[in-house]
Amino acid sequence: MRAVRMTSPGVLEQVEVPTPTPAAGEVLLAVGAVGACHSDLHILDAPPGLFPTPITLGHETAGTVEAVGAGVTGWTPGDRAAVYGIVGCGTCRGCLRGAENQCRRMPPGGIGLSRDGGLADYVAVPARNLLHVGDLDLTQAAPLTDAGLTPYHAVELARPALRPGTFCVVIGIGGLGHMAVQILTATTAVRIIAVDTSVAALDLATRMGAHHVVQAGPEAVERIREIVGPAPDGADVVIDCVGVDATLTTARTVVATGGKLLLVGLGGGTLPVHPVADAPPTLPLETSVEIPFWGTRAELQEVIALGRAGLISADVQTFPLERAPEAYDLLRRGDIHGRAVVTP
């Protein structure tokens, strides 16, 4: 079968590999769609040894059941499914609570991260990692597994602060950010402020339900402050889907005292934390900071339900499997608006 693999650190190419045979407890999925994520670029750019090679990338996957391994129940050939990407140990405190994204025995990993992913004609996955998607288009189902799940998990973490009439700033209206705007619109009554460098991205945010849009730049903080008011008031929640120094500075500058910062983007920036009594603090008092990682299977079920109800949908650009490397080049250059989705 065809597969797009990281054959060595930083090298992505299409190769021919044997079609996997599902082991006991696994399902063989005929891949229908795979989202291309910025995290894949981090994997490609990572130092040698941090991720296994060769490995088939693709952690946002949806497809059709082709075959089932021994002991699998509840799935038959022809069923359509989305893949929950995290593979935890299953026995630690986090996993036993249903939070495999907080596994305490295995480093962050999963399908397309520490084992072969979906950028191929077929992928073998644990049956417990599949969720039914019904008649949802697979090009929509695939990005929901990360681009939808991760901001949904962030919103769930911040939900007590997302009271009707409060302000939430979403920084970065890319693959995750444009989904965050829709999730906030569908599940809260907050006022949404979208921030991005791109006018096209801000137009997308408006179409997705943002009440205000602000172009990132030297005047962004002032513009946001005109909306949320002066310190110590501010945005009750800030969701940073970029995570570079500039966006983290904006986030900590506009969040309210007692607010919440959700650092969704993995851009490698630094958030200074300097508690002092004789100078302005780097973060407002009583502010909490969380770094969401993916989400839970239960949350993915809810994201799929929102998708099937037509309340959220990914803005997708599709590419055939042989053009997957091109899709990642465009993603790296910032030329993808919404989500790039590869269709084997």
Side-chain angles (χ1 to χ4, degrees), residues 22-28 68-73 75 115 124-130:
E26 291 187 341
V27 166
L28 181 67
V68 299
V72 172
T73 60
W75 293 98
R115 59 180 283 171
V125 300
R128 65 188 177 89
N129 284 60
L130 295 184

Side-chain angles (χ1 to χ4, degrees), residues 27 29 65 75 81-84 125-132 297:
V27 166
L29 203 67
V65 174
W75 293 98
V83 178
Y84 176 69
V125 300
R128 65 188 177 89
N129 284 60
L130 295 184
L131 290 91
H132 290 277
R297 278 184 285 172

Side-chain angles (χ1 to χ4, degrees), residues 76-332:
T76 58
D79 288 343
R80 303 167 79 255
V83 178
Y84 176 69
I86 300 173
V87 180
C89 73
T91 59
C92 73
R93 186 180 302 172
C95 288
L96 290 174
R97 290 190 296 106
E100 291 181 75
N101 57 318
Q102 297 176 12
C103 182
R104 299 185 178 199
R105 291 185 180 158
M106 296 176 64
I111 297 156
L113 300 174
S114 55
R115 59 180 283 171
D116 285 336
L119 277 176
D121 292 315
Y122 298 94
V123 62
V125 300
R128 65 188 177 89
N129 284 60
L130 295 184
L131 290 91
H132 290 277
V133 299
D135 58 358
L136 184 63
D137 191 297
L138 295 180
T139 61
Q140 286 295 317
L144 293 184
T145 63
D146 182 6
L149 175 58
T150 300
Y152 185 84
H153 178 58
V155 168
E156 285 296 292
L157 292 174
R159 196 165 295 282
L162 294 168
R163 311 303 301 172
T166 57
F167 288 102
C168 180
V169 174
V170 180
I171 302 176
I173 311 301
L176 275 67
H178 89 289
M179 298 301 293
V181 170
Q182 293 179 77
I183 290 164
L184 289 164
T185 300
T187 68
T188 76
V190 300
R191 305 292 293 177
I192 304 165
I193 305 170
V195 182
D196 201 285
T197 57
S198 164
V199 173
L202 295 178
D203 289 342
L204 176 61
T206 299
R207 296 198 303 272
M208 297 301 179
H211 302 92
H212 307 273
V213 294
V214 174
Q215 189 163 21
E219 299 178 359
V221 168
E222 181 180 351
R223 288 283 318 283
I224 296 169
R225 278 290 174 193
E226 290 173 355
I227 300 167
V228 301
D233 203 353
D236 301 85
V237 176
V238 180
I239 301 175
D240 184 354
C241 296
V242 183
V244 298
D245 284 344
T247 60
L248 291 170
T249 296
T250 297
R252 69 181 179 85
T253 306
V254 301
V255 70
T257 292
K260 291 184 71 71
L261 294 182
L262 285 303
L263 309 186
V264 172
L266 303 176
T270 300
L271 180 71
V273 179
H274 183 50
V276 294
D278 57 353
T282 54
L283 285 172
L285 298 174
E286 293 283 317
T287 298
S288 63
V289 179
E290 295 190 64
I291 306 175
F293 175 58
W294 237 328
T296 68
R297 278 184 285 172
E299 288 170 336
L300 179 54
Q301 182 105 29
E302 294 168 0
V303 172
I304 292 170
L306 288 172
R308 295 188 66 186
L311 294 173
I312 61 173
S313 62
D315 185 64
V316 302
Q317 295 176 245
T318 58
F319 298 82
L321 186 65
E322 60 269 18
R323 291 181 59 201
E326 177 190 347
Y328 284 108
D329 288 341
L330 292 170
L331 183 63
R332 190 183 293 278

